[in-house]
Amino acid sequence: MPSNTNTASSARRRAAPLLAALALLAACGGGGGGKDAGTPLPANPIQAMVDPNAINIGSVGWRTSTRDAVLLAARRINEAGGVLGKRLNAIALVARDNDEAQAMGQQLLDAGVQILNVSTSTRVLNLLPLARAKGVPILTESSSSPTLSTVADDDLVYRIGVSDVDATPVLAKVAFDAGKRRAVVVVNEGDAFGAGLNSLFTPAFQALGGQVVRTVAIPFGLKSGFDAYLKQVFEAKPDVILNGILAADIAANVLNEALPYNYPDLWLLPGTAAGNQTFVDNLANPNSIIGGASGSAATIGVYGSASYKAFRNAYIAQYGGEPQDFTAPTYDIVMVMALAIERAGLSTGSRNPSGLQIRDALRFVMNGPGDKVSPQDIGAALAAVKQGRDIDYSGAYADIDWDARGDIVGPVPFSIFQLDRAARRWDASQQILIALPR
């Protein structure tokens, strides 16, 4: 029957990129199988990456750079002796879209990982019902939707990154300080991040004296052919356009297709694109962006901190390039996972603590009071936990704690980005610390 044929074809199309991603991961040394890159993948490749003799953690990222941060952190932890006397096995995957992320996350949870890193708000919310059913905590570096603060999550969702509630007022101030007063907001239709961005930017910009004159929603996943939507944008005569398209390369495509309009004013970018080199690399002609592009984001560690410097040096030594945005928070996520697993094992007497036991240990290792510990000395931090001492993790990203909702509190670094059109890169030389909650 045609419907069966279509279903099978659709399943094969979904499976193909997943298998390709897993093949790439195996070639890069991720996962628990330790197989040669030429070895055929098994029927259930994610299950095959689980190591029954290790502590298994999972990651469903949205960029190779955050996957690299996961693997680097796991390597540092294993060099320090591992967790609970075992190797930490990081099964780090990269999903290209929300459907693929759902499939990967479900397979990781079904395979028995007891703590999970997931990128972006929509993907976290999609996987949350299954994580709740299995009692598995989700730590996220790039989920800023305010919904995560209020959703029923059984205290399973934790951010190392800011909510749009805190990030968006900084973004509005960047636009207002540049003299802009008429804004159009462009978002993905049905995207949790975009919905939160729009709902928060409008009152923040209006409170300063600006006005949001139109919101334009572009179908999620549309990569080109934006002219009908751009006409709506420019008919509103904005002097600043907030481009909240989630994928950085597609956000750049919006600017590329807008070039014939000769827009003379400012493009404003949130943390999904501001500071993201992928966005810049996908711009057809940065010099033709007449009014320039700016943004702000709390996605990079505190420049002057010893922990961020140590992380940056380790990342460059391992991968030969600068760490990208969201990599420092992701690195911290794996460090905190390891410390919480060690703490859960100590408090329960188990060498294989459950997801809920790990959840109950998270704030004990992240929040004060306790001895300050750092990622550059993760061996000493794990030793302190084994000795039963209270610790307070201060990370490569920032010295922060978790509140009762799993949101971060403490001094958070906000970088102010300006597009250097000639050099084809972001200038992020300006950074401010803002204490959260405000």
Side-chain angles (χ1 to χ4, degrees):
M1 296 173 61
S3 59
N4 290 341
T5 302
N6 291 341
T7 300
S9 176
S10 175
R12 284 193 296 271
R13 287 196 299 271
R14 288 194 301 271
L18 174 59
L19 292 172
L22 294 171
L24 174 62
L25 177 65
C28 294
K35 304 292 185 183
D36 182 83
T39 302
L41 286 168
N44 190 337
I46 289 181
Q47 179 66 57
M49 291 179 179
V50 172
D51 183 347
N53 298 313
I55 297 291
N56 296 280
I57 64 173
S59 174
V60 182
W62 63 323
R63 296 178 182 169
T64 56
S65 58
T66 53
R67 179 203 64 194
D68 291 345
V70 169
L71 297 177
L72 178 61
R75 176 181 175 180
R76 289 287 181 262
I77 291 160
N78 288 327
E79 288 172 346
V83 180
L84 295 176
K86 302 179 183 180
R87 183 176 68 88
L88 184 69
N89 181 41
I91 306 172
L93 312 174
V94 178
R96 298 185 302 178
D97 55 40
N98 293 339
D99 288 343
E100 191 171 84
Q102 184 75 14
M104 288 177 172
Q106 182 165 343
Q107 289 184 49
L108 284 167
L109 289 166
D110 289 345
V113 299
Q114 291 164 318
I115 192 164
L116 194 60
N117 162 235
V118 179
S119 299
T120 84
S121 304
T122 299
R123 297 177 182 189
V124 170
L125 292 168
N126 287 347
L127 282 167
L128 181 57
L130 184 58
R132 289 182 70 190
K134 293 182 176 291
V136 173
I138 295 176
L139 277 61
T140 179
E141 81 290 348
S142 57
S143 299
S144 60
S145 171
T147 302
L148 269 67
S149 299
T150 57
V151 68
D153 65 355
D154 300 336
D155 197 29
L156 287 170
V157 177
Y158 295 79
R159 306 187 223 233
I160 296 188
V162 301
S163 166
D164 286 329
V165 171
D166 299 307
T168 308
V170 180
L171 199 61
K173 190 173 187 303
V174 169
F176 193 83
D177 288 351
K180 308 307 177 184
R181 299 297 181 266
R182 288 177 58 85
V184 168
V185 179
V186 180
V187 295
N188 284 124
E189 187 176 15
D191 174 39
F193 165 74
L197 181 72
N198 182 46
S199 68
L200 291 163
F201 181 82
T202 297
F205 194 50
Q206 289 175 345
L208 293 171
Q211 181 184 10
V212 174
V213 295
R214 182 169 292 176
T215 299
V216 177
I218 294 177
F220 205 112
L222 186 68
K223 297 180 180 180
S224 61
F226 302 120
D227 193 59
Y229 304 98
L230 289 170
K231 286 178 180 176
Q232 297 177 45
V233 170
F234 293 115
E235 283 172 357
K237 296 180 170 55
D239 59 13
V240 58
I241 302 171
L242 174 55
N243 182 349
I245 299 299
L246 184 61
D249 55 343
I250 301 177
N253 287 347
V254 172
L255 270 72
N256 293 337
E257 293 194 21
L259 289 179
Y261 288 89
N262 294 312
Y263 178 60
D265 289 303
L266 180 68
W267 288 91
L268 185 65
L269 287 307
T272 49
N276 185 343
Q277 190 59 36
T278 297
F279 171 83
V280 180
D281 290 343
N282 279 274
L283 293 176
N285 188 355
N287 284 319
S288 296
I289 302 171
I290 302 169
S294 298
S296 68
T299 58
I300 300 175
V302 180
Y303 293 154
S305 77
S307 292
Y308 179 73
K309 290 178 180 177
F311 160 70
R312 177 177 176 271
N313 291 339
Y315 189 97
I316 292 171
Q318 180 70 26
Y319 299 113
E322 288 283 342
Q324 300 299 306
D325 52 336
F326 296 107
T327 51
T330 306
Y331 188 77
D332 283 340
I333 280 172
V334 180
M335 294 290 177
V336 172
M337 284 180 175
L339 293 167
I341 293 167
E342 193 72 59
R343 166 87 186 202
L346 176 72
S347 61
T348 64
S350 171
R351 295 185 71 234
N352 188 32
S354 70
L356 293 180
Q357 290 168 338
I358 297 168
R359 174 203 65 184
D360 293 343
L362 283 167
R363 288 187 183 86
F364 281 100
V365 300
M366 185 71 154
N367 297 4
D371 298 341
K372 285 286 184 186
V373 298
S374 63
Q376 62 266 39
D377 201 0
I378 187 62
L382 288 164
V385 174
K386 291 176 187 176
Q387 295 162 11
R389 289 155 49 195
D390 291 332
I391 64 166
D392 179 5
Y393 180 78
S394 178
Y397 176 59
D399 186 4
I400 50 178
D401 294 337
W402 277 313
D403 67 12
R405 302 175 300 180
D407 287 342
I408 59 173
V409 297
V412 174
F414 283 79
S415 300
I416 310 301
F417 297 98
Q418 301 286 340
L419 178 62
D420 185 331
R421 292 175 291 174
R424 296 186 69 95
R425 64 176 179 81
W426 287 107
D427 179 349
S429 56
Q430 183 184 356
Q431 191 177 66
I432 56 177
L433 288 178
I434 295 178
L436 302 182
R438 294 172 180 275

